[in-house]
Amino acid sequence: MTKMTRIALATLAVMGATTAMAQSSVTLYGRINTTVERQKIGDVNNTKMENNASRFGLMGTEDLGGGLKAGFVLESGFASDTGAGAGGGLSFNRQSEVNLSGNFGMLRLGHWLAPSYYVTADYISMHNHDTGKSSDAFYAYGTNDKNSQPYSSNGISYKTPTFGGFNVEAGAYLHEKNPAQFGKKNQYDVAANYENGGLGLGAGYTKFDDASQYAVRASYNFGSIILGGYVQRSKNFGFDQVPAAGVGTRTAYRLSGAYFLGASEFHLNVGRAGSLKNVPESSALQYTLGYNYNLSKRTKVYGYYTKVNNSKGANYMTGTAGTDFSSFALGVRHNF
């Protein structure tokens, strides 16, 4: 083999590798979010370090040609305060999916948080991305996985392309991992989202045996101010936000506002859960005041005060009826 032939073959090999890299990509991403908190449950005070949904993941795509792409997401949660993996070891308990996308939209297979949540409650959880003790105490999730609440497993979902700022995602979640009390029932979830300039609208519906929820959301971005809110009507969801047979219907709402001034963010949100139909005096109120300071695009320090006031028959965030919860927290969040 001549020297020129060897050079030509090496050049082709490099070109081939470069082409393959251009057609596919894999990204490592994550978030480490930790707070030190002074918590109060009833009359008992405690100082704790809390993990606020820290995570890391891998996502990738491959260009298959003709506008068709294959993709995947593998996301694992971990405890930033102890270093332990979720459930005691490494698992992709937060998200595990493979998908195909193109001009037709996207087809997804796997495990993820319900899209109906993302187009409603998640959009207005601006302070700490709905994590930790300041997260929304009242939103009712639909879930068919008793080992990984509030995530849904064995999902088959289709998302339309976005037309004029509007798209819809609908999915079915197979019954093989159902909690025993729900029998062999599939879960169904539908989400619709609309974005036009500063205006955002969303609606979500979940059905799982005798449990169901539907919610609508509106938000508007004025530039330095963002305002939003949702209203949810649910049936047979308990105080832990997941299905609970026989507790009846309930209406909940949450209002949220944020003001941005340079590197500073000022946050206020208020939520209320009405009484469950079959549980007397089970209403509750939650409010949170928060301040974030952005050290960079990826890192912020923050503080908040949150409180949940439970009526005599409610036990949101505490597990004990009539007992209130509050927390004052200081934290750091870093995205990578």
Side-chain angles (χ1 to χ4, degrees):
M1 183 181 294
T2 67
K3 182 177 181 180
M4 290 300 297
T5 302
R6 290 196 296 270
I7 293 173
L9 290 174
T11 302
L12 288 172
V14 171
M15 291 177 63
T18 302
T19 302
M21 291 177 65
Q23 291 177 341
S24 62
S25 66
V26 177
T27 301
L28 172 68
Y29 68 94
R31 174 179 68 205
I32 303 174
N33 192 2
T34 312
T35 51
V36 177
E37 306 191 15
R38 184 65 172 173
Q39 298 177 1
K40 185 177 182 181
I41 300 177
D43 296 324
V44 179
N45 290 287
N46 197 8
T47 300
K48 300 182 66 176
M49 181 174 289
E50 292 280 0
N51 169 47
N52 291 253
S54 297
R55 65 189 183 187
F56 73 92
L58 297 167
M59 65 171 63
T61 59
E62 180 185 13
D63 190 341
L64 301 173
L68 183 65
K69 293 183 179 180
F72 74 91
V73 181
L74 297 172
E75 186 173 292
S76 178
F78 66 94
S80 61
D81 52 337
T82 65
L90 176 65
S91 66
F92 296 108
N93 61 309
R94 289 182 58 91
Q95 193 166 350
S96 176
E97 73 167 270
V98 63
N99 57 66
L100 290 173
S101 61
N103 295 331
F104 62 89
M106 177 180 283
L107 176 67
R108 308 168 68 194
L109 303 174
H111 166 89
W112 51 75
L113 195 59
S116 59
Y117 161 78
Y118 280 117
V119 301
T120 54
D122 183 69
Y123 263 75
I124 65 164
S125 296
M126 295 175 282
H127 159 58
N128 201 15
H129 300 295
D130 211 18
T131 65
K133 299 304 182 182
S134 66
S135 62
D136 188 343
F138 305 142
Y139 181 85
Y141 299 93
T143 178
N144 71 340
D145 189 344
K146 64 181 179 180
N147 298 313
S148 190
Q149 296 171 342
Y151 296 87
S152 297
S153 291
N154 307 305
I156 304 169
S157 180
Y158 167 70
K159 185 176 182 179
T160 69
T162 299
F163 299 104
F166 178 77
N167 61 63
V168 176
E169 183 168 0
Y173 303 84
L174 306 183
H175 62 70
E176 61 186 271
K177 295 179 77 67
N178 281 4
Q181 71 265 32
F182 293 103
K184 295 183 177 181
K185 301 289 186 179
N186 293 337
Q187 174 191 329
Y188 300 95
D189 191 85
V190 180
N193 192 55
Y194 174 73
E195 301 291 329
N196 185 1
L199 176 65
L201 302 173
Y205 172 77
T206 307
K207 171 69 175 175
F208 184 29
D209 195 24
D210 290 333
S212 63
Q213 71 82 26
Y214 60 89
V216 293
R217 160 222 134 222
S219 57
Y220 199 90
N221 187 341
F222 295 91
S224 60
I225 297 176
I226 301 177
L227 300 175
Y230 77 77
V231 177
Q232 183 187 52
R233 181 71 171 173
S234 61
K235 178 183 178 182
N236 290 338
F237 281 85
F239 299 116
D240 56 358
Q241 306 170 317
V242 296
V247 297
T249 55
R250 184 208 68 176
T251 299
Y253 68 81
R254 186 172 171 96
L255 302 174
S256 181
Y259 174 61
F260 302 88
L261 179 64
S264 294
E265 303 174 14
F266 302 88
H267 294 267
L268 169 65
N269 58 67
V270 179
R272 186 181 188 278
S275 287
L276 293 160
K277 182 178 180 180
N278 300 326
V279 183
E281 298 187 78
S282 54
S283 63
L285 178 71
Q286 180 186 23
Y287 61 88
T288 302
L289 291 169
Y291 172 75
N292 296 353
Y293 186 83
N294 294 281
L295 298 171
S296 70
K297 290 184 178 180
R298 298 189 301 166
T299 303
K300 63 175 61 178
V301 293
Y302 63 93
Y304 67 75
Y305 176 78
T306 189
K307 186 168 185 181
V308 176
N309 292 323
N310 284 309
S311 296
K312 292 182 180 180
N315 63 21
Y316 294 100
M317 298 282 287
T318 66
T320 303
T323 300
D324 297 337
F325 172 86
S326 66
S327 181
F328 174 75
L330 297 173
V332 179
R333 182 166 76 240
H334 174 73
N335 296 323
F336 62 89

